[in-house]
Amino acid sequence: MFHSAGRSPVCFCQFRTATLLSVLLLAACGSGEITMSEINDANVLNNQPATLREGGEVVTGTVVEKTAEGLVLRRVPYVDGFPNGLIEEWHPNGQKKSEKTLKYVARGPRDGGLMPAGPSRTWCENGTLQVESDADAGGSPVGIYRNFTCTGQPLSERTMPIGPMKTWAEVQGSDKTVLVEEGTTVEGDGWEGVHKQYYLNGSPKLEEHWVAGALDGTYRTWKEDGTSLETGTYQAGNKMGTWVVNQGTRDQVTEYDESLFIDSRYSAPFMSAAGIYIGAATALNNARPDLDKARYFIDEGLVDVKKRLNLLQPQPGIPFSTNRWTYPYILAGSEVLPLLIEQGADPKSADSEGRTRLFFCIYSLGADRFCNAADAKQMIETGIPVNQQDTFGNTVLHEVVKTHTYIGGIVTNEKRHEVGTMLMDAGADPDIANREATTPLMLAVTARQFPLATEMLNRSKNPTALDGNGLNLIHLAFFIPLGNQVRFELTPPVQDFLKLAVSKGIDPLAPLGESGTLKEIAEQIGAIDAARFLTELKAGS
């Protein structure tokens, strides 16, 4: 029954002119009909008076929306012109669409407000529950909010207003969902405890720890293939300790603990006294040390040689951090080394690029006064690991082969062979791959250092390994990476190497990508001697 101010109860109905839908205002009363204004569906749940009688008088009652065939689509109770109570909706197929309770709250003499009051649920047209939620007497969300796909797979589950939550994502081409985030929300921004994110393939994407609304504890992110992307530690929202960021072909290491470093007030004069020179071309013994002055800094307790030297200028007012540092032992003049060892310096220490003193010895091979094979051997005997990898994944054996400019002058292939052989005698592994999937053996072949490459191949335990482009050692013997070209050159050292490679199980006629085999390429460019040689190699294998 509907009540209007100053009138007796009446019964009325109104039909839209459209044939598909009709709106009925139902009352248990006798005859009588009043023409009503059209109900604006956009206002039914929009905090505005929606149902007015002619003359501006508000209505209390139930609005039922039906199809022309009489199927109920919506049932909305009204009080004083506002939806108020349990609102129900149905899909055109008759399946329940939603049910929710709204409460009218007066805000002033001319308008009012609507807020949820109690449970709310919606269903898909196939009858699958899609959303369920709840609200307290004040309209605030409470309980567990859940959301599902129309195939019944979860999309979200959240404790309201704060608390444990989970989120799923739909997998393209599938009716399945996968968990992509979980954690516990708190008031304001942030989380509490462990917060995790995942990729669609299920592999971890992020794991972080929160305490009292701030990041606190270990922090890790990963690439989609499972490779570590960033690792570190937070304390009360601030980065602490060592952080490592994967930058593809290298790792960037950043330190946030200033206590690990030599006092910046004395680091520069101590470096000068210890013969440490940092420049574009860093080499061992590149500056004249002052042993007496270096001892002064140590004896006075101004410098702890077990700590690191920050190579970046500290910024006033900015929390300490550095991604470029070294240890005194790594670059000090040889005259100062006994003093550093006496004071506890570690010969095995590595700098921010993962390089030990042995690396800088190799960089200095261009001048015997800086470093030679005997110096390198002596360093290894102090305990410096011969297979230490830098942040690019290179070992000192990689560095012997690489074609970079060495300090002091040109390094001959004969000297590379001498030093490389000495390193392998000391345990250097020619099969260690760097971040580009390239081994020292592969580098030696590409650089056409065949005597050294042959020595490495004889010691290799994985001769059939492929490089990052899928090329084997025989491919690399003819391949010129910079020009993406093939050069057929059959000198005696090349032939000896190729014969050894075949004896190690490498196929001389394996396809070179989409270009065909080396034999086919040789035939196409008229290198018939190379084609015949490769054929003979295959036959002899």
Side-chain angles (χ1 to χ4, degrees), residues 149-406:
T149 67
C150 288
T151 58
Q153 297 297 308
L155 286 173
S156 64
E157 180 178 294
R158 182 183 297 268
T159 303
M160 304 298 291
I162 59 174
M165 62 80 66
K166 291 183 179 181
T167 301
W168 291 261
E170 297 183 75
V171 179
Q172 189 173 4
S174 169
D175 61 356
K176 301 295 184 181
T177 61
V178 295
L179 183 68
V180 293
E181 186 172 28
E182 61 181 335
T184 300
T185 60
V186 296
E187 292 185 4
D189 296 329
W191 306 80
E192 184 65 28
V194 182
H195 172 223
K196 296 181 179 181
Q197 293 179 346
Y198 307 90
Y199 290 101
L200 289 179
N201 64 5
S203 63
K205 182 178 183 180
L206 174 146
E207 180 178 316
E208 58 187 13
H209 296 75
W210 293 72
V211 176
L215 284 164
D216 196 302
T218 57
Y219 177 94
R220 290 198 69 181
T221 60
W222 293 265
K223 296 181 181 180
E224 195 166 1
D225 63 4
T227 304
S228 178
L229 181 59
E230 184 175 16
T231 60
T233 303
Y234 277 98
Q235 183 176 335
N238 298 313
K239 289 184 175 180
M240 303 294 292
T242 304
W243 281 68
V244 181
V245 179
N246 182 319
Q247 296 183 328
T249 58
R250 63 164 296 185
D251 285 336
Q252 175 70 65
V253 180
T254 303
E255 289 286 359
Y256 291 87
D257 188 351
E258 190 171 7
S259 68
L260 299 177
F261 291 81
I262 291 172
D263 191 326
S264 60
R265 294 174 298 177
Y266 309 110
S267 59
F270 172 75
M271 288 169 64
S272 176
I276 299 172
Y277 173 76
I278 304 297
T282 300
L284 296 178
N285 302 323
N286 201 37
R288 186 181 299 276
D290 186 331
L291 183 59
D292 183 63
K293 186 182 292 186
R295 184 179 292 278
Y296 175 85
F297 282 102
I298 296 173
D299 290 345
E300 292 297 317
L302 304 177
V303 167
D304 183 350
V305 298
K306 296 186 292 296
K307 293 186 175 183
R308 306 167 185 178
L309 286 161
N310 180 16
L311 302 182
L312 297 181
Q313 184 66 35
Q315 299 296 319
I318 298 179
F320 175 84
S321 69
T322 181
N323 57 24
R324 189 163 174 259
W325 43 266
T326 190
Y327 283 89
Y329 187 90
I330 294 174
L331 293 175
S334 58
E335 299 94 328
V336 184
L337 294 183
L339 172 61
L340 298 179
I341 292 292
E342 174 190 319
Q343 296 297 319
D346 182 7
K348 300 184 294 295
S349 57
D351 68 4
S352 54
E353 300 292 332
R355 301 169 299 188
T356 62
R357 186 177 180 87
L358 183 57
F359 275 84
F360 289 93
C361 175
I362 300 304
Y363 301 152
S364 308
L365 286 176
D368 279 344
R369 68 182 185 278
F370 291 160
C371 188
N372 53 48
D375 293 330
K377 182 177 181 181
Q378 187 176 20
M379 291 179 190
I380 296 171
E381 290 172 350
T382 66
I384 296 179
V386 72
N387 286 315
Q388 167 84 19
Q389 290 179 272
D390 66 11
T391 56
F392 293 91
N394 293 318
T395 66
V396 289
L397 198 53
H398 283 92
E399 299 298 340
V400 167
V401 179
K402 287 168 64 176
T403 57
H404 56 66
T405 301
Y406 288 82

Side-chain angles (χ1 to χ4, degrees), residues 3-8 53 57-58:
H3 300 279
S4 57
R7 292 178 180 267
S8 301
R53 288 187 58 185
E57 296 176 358
V58 297

